[in-house]
Amino acid sequence: MNKKTELLAPAGSLAMLDTALAFGANAIYAGQPRYSLRVRNNDFGDLAVLKSGIDRVHAAGGRFYLVSNIYPHGAKLKTYLRDMAPVIELKPDALIMSDPGLMMMVREAWPEQEIHLSVQANTVNAAAVQFWARNGVSRVILSRELSLEEIADIRQACPDTELEVFIHGALCIAYSGRCLLSGYMNHRDPNQGTCTNSCRWDFKVHEGRTEPGGDVYLLEERERRAGSYNVIEEDEHGTYILNSKDLRAIEHVQRLVEIGIDSLKIEGRTKSPYYVARTCQAYRQAIDAALAGRGLDPALLDSLDGLANRGYTGGFFARHQEANAGRDDSEYQNYERGTSESARSLYVGDVVAFDAVRGLAEVEVKNRFAVGDRLEIVQPQGNRVLTLEAMEHADGLAMPIAPGSGHRVWLPLPADSVGAFLARFINA
C-alpha cells in the first residue's frame, strides 16, 4: 500500500489555493491562461499572484504544479520560452504538459525542470507510460477512460514512474479534452482553453434517414440556434453528443491507494473555494482512512451531495463490472438536465468576521437562507450543524430572511467560525 498518496487540488485563485491547503490538500495545480486549458476564472496569469501561490504552497510543505498543457499553434510557440523564463524562476515543482514540442523546448532550456504528462495526452497503456518516462517525464496523469484493473496493470508494469488519476469533477463528453463541439458551434476551442460547454445546451433530436452503416439524425439546439440542424450519425455504439454526469470516485479511493497511485486529483480550477473545501475535506478523510486500513465512511457520500452537480457517476473505474451487471449508459449520462443542482445542501455564505461586543458573526451572503433553517458550518477542524435562531442587520434590527448574494448579515455563530463556509440543508 502506497504511504505517500497525494491529494492534488485545483486552484483558479489564491482564495481557492489557501482553502485547498487548509482542508487537506498536499499539492496544488494551477495554470496561466495563455498556456493552459482554463482561460476564465483564472488569476494566475499575473506573475505576482503566481509567485504568491507557489510561495504559499511551499511554506505549507506542499507541492505546486503549473499547468502548461495547451496544444499550441505556431504563434504561441514563438512566445513560449520567453514567457516561461520568469515562471521557471519561481520554481514550480513540475510543469503539467501534453505537447511533445513544448516538452522538447522545456527540456532544452531547463533540463532540470520536472515534467508531468497531462491527461490531455490520453495515456491508456503501460507502453505509453514507459515511452514518456524514457523521454524525461516523471509522472503520467492517466486517462479518465481506464478501469481499475487497467490502472493496476499499468502500475505493475511501470513501478518506477509516478501515476496520477482524476477522482472527482466534470467529465468531458468526448474523449477527455478532445471535444470539438464548442469549437464548431461557437468558434471557441476546448484545446485552446475557451470551451463554452456546448454539450450542456438544450438539444433536440429529429429523425433523419437510415443508411447501411447506421441511422442519421438531425440535431437542433433550441435556445440559441432554433431552426438550424446538424447531422449526427448513430451506429451500434450510439452517438456521443450527450450530457455527462460528474465524476465522484470516492468509493474507489481505497482501491486506488492499494494499487499504489501516487496522486489523486480533483478537477475544478474554475469552481469556487467552497467546492474545493468540500471536495478536499471528503477526499482527505477517504485517503487517510484507506492508508489506515479503514473502510469508507458513507457520510462522505452525503457530504459531496452538498455540492452542485449534474448527477454523479463512478466514471470508467468499474466499467467492466458494470457492463457485466447489465448497467446501461444512464450510469454515465444525464438525460434530464444540463444545469448543476444539489440534493443535500446549498452553499449560502462565508463567515468573514466576529463582533465580540455583539457576540455575532458577520456573514457575506451567497444564496438565500432564513431563520429556522438548519445550517452547516464547514471548516477544516470539522463541521458543525445548528438551527438558525436569529439574524440581524448591521444596525441591530432583526431580519427573518437573508435574500441572497450582495447582502451581509450577523448571526449567532461561534467566534472560531470565522473563515468557515455556511451551507443550508435542503428540505430539512
Side-chain angles (χ1 to χ4, degrees):
M1 184 177 291
N2 188 347
K3 296 298 182 182
K4 299 180 181 179
T5 305
E6 174 184 87
L7 177 59
L8 177 55
S13 66
L14 291 177
M16 278 186 73
L17 181 150
D18 290 337
T19 301
L21 293 173
F23 279 82
N26 307 109
I28 301 294
Y29 68 100
Q32 297 172 291
R34 181 168 172 80
Y35 299 113
S36 75
L37 300 188
R38 293 293 183 272
V39 172
R40 62 186 178 89
N41 298 345
N42 188 347
D43 295 343
F44 290 100
D46 185 318
L47 204 63
V49 174
L50 182 60
K51 180 182 187 306
S52 179
I54 293 174
D55 290 346
R56 293 184 194 194
V57 173
H58 289 167
R63 289 168 61 82
F64 186 102
Y65 307 136
L66 183 76
V67 183
S68 191
N69 65 345
I70 195 170
Y71 284 100
H73 291 211
K76 289 185 178 179
L77 280 182
K78 298 175 182 178
T79 62
Y80 185 74
L81 291 181
R82 180 197 70 197
D83 291 346
M84 289 301 293
V87 173
I88 298 298
E89 291 181 2
L90 301 179
K91 299 191 182 303
D93 294 283
L95 299 184
I96 300 175
M97 307 186 72
S98 55
D99 184 80
L102 289 187
M103 291 185 205
M104 177 187 69
M105 293 167 66
V106 168
R107 273 274 162 264
E108 292 174 351
W110 304 288
E112 301 304 316
Q113 177 61 56
E114 185 174 335
I115 294 176
H116 294 177
L117 185 69
S118 171
V119 73
Q120 290 292 306
N122 301 120
T123 305
V124 294
N125 62 68
V129 173
Q130 292 163 356
F131 167 84
W132 288 112
R134 291 173 186 174
N135 283 275
V137 169
S138 61
R139 176 184 295 185
V140 172
I141 306 169
L142 295 176
S143 173
R144 291 180 176 94
E145 287 73 26
L146 291 173
S147 68
L148 289 170
E149 291 82 3
E150 290 171 319
I151 292 171
D153 288 343
I154 292 173
R155 172 78 290 169
Q156 184 172 5
C158 307
D160 299 323
T161 303
E162 292 185 9
L163 299 178
E164 178 178 307
V165 300
F166 278 91
I167 53 172
H168 195 94
L171 292 170
C172 292
I173 200 61
Y175 215 80
S176 288
R178 302 295 180 88
C179 179
L180 299 178
L181 196 59
S182 177
Y184 176 74
M185 291 188 154
N186 262 8
H187 305 290
R188 290 177 59 179
D189 297 330
N191 275 338
Q192 298 301 313
T194 54
C195 181
T196 56
N197 295 111
S198 302
C199 57
R200 313 293 191 194
W201 295 354
D202 180 20
F203 292 98
K204 303 298 179 185
V205 178
H206 306 277
E207 289 189 5
R209 63 187 184 276
T210 299
E211 294 186 348
D215 296 325
V216 174
Y217 297 90
L218 301 176
L219 186 72
E220 178 188 22
E221 202 289 305
R222 302 292 282 276
E223 293 184 8
R224 298 167 178 82
R225 290 169 175 78
S228 177
Y229 300 95
N230 297 294
V231 176
I232 58 174
E233 298 181 358
E234 180 175 288
D235 59 16
E236 69 272 15
H237 301 295
T239 190
Y240 309 100
I241 305 178
L242 297 171
N243 180 34
S244 174
K245 292 182 178 180
D246 291 337
L247 175 65
R248 181 186 66 187
I250 198 165
E251 303 97 320
H252 302 299
V253 165
Q254 183 170 8
R255 178 62 181 139
L256 290 167
V257 170
E258 291 171 350
I259 288 171
I261 298 305
D262 298 275
S263 183
L264 302 183
K265 185 173 191 175
I266 297 167
E267 184 276 339
R269 281 185 281 151
T270 62
K271 299 291 184 71
S272 68
Y274 176 70
Y275 168 88
V276 84
R278 279 287 195 192
T279 51
C280 284
Q281 186 180 62
Y283 283 95
R284 175 78 273 153
Q285 293 179 44
I287 291 171
D288 291 346
L291 291 172
R294 302 191 304 271
L296 177 68
D297 181 356
L300 297 180
L301 298 173
D302 292 336
S303 176
L304 293 172
D305 281 337
L307 289 170
N309 62 85
R310 295 182 174 89
Y312 282 129
T313 174
F316 294 91
F317 286 118
R319 64 188 303 183
H320 300 308
Q321 296 97 307
E322 290 173 351
N324 292 336
R327 295 188 184 181
D328 59 25
D329 60 4
S330 64
E331 293 294 321
Y332 307 96
Q333 308 299 339
N334 181 347
Y335 295 108
E336 298 177 355
R337 56 184 169 84
T339 56
S340 296
E341 298 176 2
S342 171
R344 175 183 180 267
S345 60
L346 177 69
Y347 169 43
V348 296
D350 298 332
V351 184
V352 296
F354 185 81
D355 186 333
V357 176
R358 298 170 65 186
L360 299 176
E362 183 182 7
V363 173
E364 182 180 347
V365 181
K366 299 297 183 181
N367 285 293
R368 182 186 185 278
F369 64 96
V371 173
D373 285 344
R374 286 184 69 230
L375 302 181
E376 185 177 20
I377 304 172
V378 181
Q379 51 194 154
Q381 61 266 36
N383 301 347
R384 288 172 282 184
V385 176
L386 56 84
T387 299
L388 184 60
E389 297 180 350
M391 184 178 353
E392 293 183 6
H393 288 284
D395 56 14
L397 295 177
M399 58 187 301
I401 296 173
S405 182
H407 295 269
R408 288 185 177 243
V409 298
W410 279 256
L411 308 181
L413 301 177
D416 65 355
S417 62
V418 175
F421 302 95
L422 287 184
R424 173 178 63 83
F425 285 95
I426 297 173
N427 300 321

